[in-house]
């Protein structure tokens, strides 16, 4: 979705960007808090969250922290803000998580920044959605092209032709992992990551592998 501050809105705009951060374009002026965990586009692990906050959001955090409102430490943004100003964390995260995220940010910046990484995701999205639209047994789960994610694609497979779980299992047996569907969605589909670290050419190669598997299973 496009991130736009509502016209004449008197409030803060907060965005949960865990899937998007590092892979989708956005204008920081349109949001007050852009927060995320680094396990997706930043190619790291979970267990840590990062946030970019506007002056208005910082003022709100400081005002609540100075009030008598009780907030548990795990949800206390005043503690998070205070620690961030000291280059610290309230709890000690796994250093591998910080290292991997830092390496990914450096790699993205060295290649052109967010525009470069978002363009890389665009190429992967073009590959997977273009393939699904051109294939008789596959269909993008999200029908409206403008609403399709360019960081995680969900592709429905025709249940009359093939079982998506079997396709994922065969791919996994051959070293191609993490194509399983959303667990609770209950659809006959594949879920494909399109994050910046994934070479768009590999996404194209994946579609060819799926075609081979489906052809073999349908024979």
């Amino acid at each position: 979705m496009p991130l736009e501050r509502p016209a004449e809105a008197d409030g803060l705009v907060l965005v949960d960007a865990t899937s998007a951060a590092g892979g989708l374009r956005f204008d920081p002026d349109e949001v007050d808090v852009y927060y995320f965990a680094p396990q997706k586009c930043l190619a790291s692990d979970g267990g840590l969250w990062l946030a970019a906050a506007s002056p208005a959001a910082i003022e709100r955090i400081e005002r609540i922290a100075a009030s008598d409102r009780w907030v548990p430490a795990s949800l206390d943004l005043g503690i998070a803000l205070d620690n961030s100003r000291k280059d610290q964390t309230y709890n000690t995260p796994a250093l591998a998580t910080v290292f991997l995220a830092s390496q990914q940010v450096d790699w993205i910046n060295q290649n052109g920044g967010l525009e470069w990484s978002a363009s890389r995701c665009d190429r992967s999205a073009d590959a997977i959605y273009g393939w699904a639209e051109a294939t008789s047994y596959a269909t993008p789960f999200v029908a409206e092209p403008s609403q399709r994610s360019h960081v995680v694609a969900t592709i429905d497979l025709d249940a009359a032709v093939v079982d998506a779980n079997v396709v994922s299992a065969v791919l996994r047996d051959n070293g191609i992992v993490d194509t399983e569907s959303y667990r609770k969605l209950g659809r006959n589909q594949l879920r494909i990551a399109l994050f910046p670290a994934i070479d768009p050419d590999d996404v194209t190669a994946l579609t060819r592998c799926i075609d081979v598997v489906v052809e073999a299973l349908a024979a």
Side-chain angles (χ1 to χ4, degrees):
M1 59 179 292
L3 303 183
E4 298 177 354
R5 190 178 298 278
E8 302 179 359
D10 181 19
L12 302 179
V13 176
L14 283 67
V15 179
D16 179 352
T18 290
S19 293
L24 298 182
R25 301 168 186 83
F26 83 105
D27 181 353
D29 289 336
E30 295 294 331
V31 303
D32 292 293
V33 182
Y34 192 78
Y35 63 96
F36 54 93
Q39 73 265 29
K40 296 193 176 183
C41 288
L42 293 194
S44 184
D45 291 326
L48 179 70
W49 64 272
L50 303 92
S54 72
I58 291 174
E59 186 278 331
R60 179 76 64 85
I61 292 170
E62 291 175 332
R63 177 153 45 92
I64 292 175
S67 71
D68 60 357
R69 176 179 174 181
W70 181 82
V71 182
S74 61
L75 299 176
D76 192 334
L77 297 181
I79 292 175
L81 179 62
D82 180 61
N83 277 269
S84 72
R85 287 169 168 165
K86 300 174 183 177
D87 290 328
Q88 298 175 350
T89 56
Y90 184 61
N91 295 304
T92 303
L95 293 182
T97 303
V98 178
F99 174 80
L100 291 170
S102 177
Q103 292 291 303
Q104 180 75 347
V105 170
D106 287 345
W107 176 68
I108 289 174
N109 285 335
Q110 289 165 6
N111 283 281
L114 183 59
E115 178 59 35
W116 174 82
S117 61
S119 296
R120 192 171 165 92
C121 293
D122 290 344
R123 289 172 52 202
S124 293
D126 288 343
I128 195 73
Y129 293 127
W131 162 79
E133 290 177 331
T135 304
S136 61
Y137 64 86
T139 308
F141 170 54
V142 178
E144 175 57 47
S146 65
Q147 296 178 2
R148 293 172 186 165
S149 171
H150 282 206
V151 287
V152 181
T154 44
I155 306 297
D156 285 342
L157 302 186
D158 186 346
V161 176
V162 69
D163 185 331
N165 291 327
V166 175
V167 173
S168 293
V170 173
L171 291 172
R172 183 173 286 276
D173 286 343
N174 287 274
I176 303 172
V177 301
D178 298 336
T179 62
E180 290 81 8
S181 66
Y182 281 100
R183 290 183 293 273
K184 294 183 179 180
L185 195 56
R187 296 182 70 90
N188 191 59
Q189 70 178 198
L190 303 177
R191 180 188 185 196
I192 311 296
L194 310 173
F195 304 136
I198 299 169
D199 192 319
D201 290 340
D202 286 346
V203 176
T204 299
L206 171 62
T207 64
R208 295 170 182 161
C209 292
I210 295 171
D211 284 339
V212 170
V213 172
V214 172
E215 182 179 356
L217 291 173

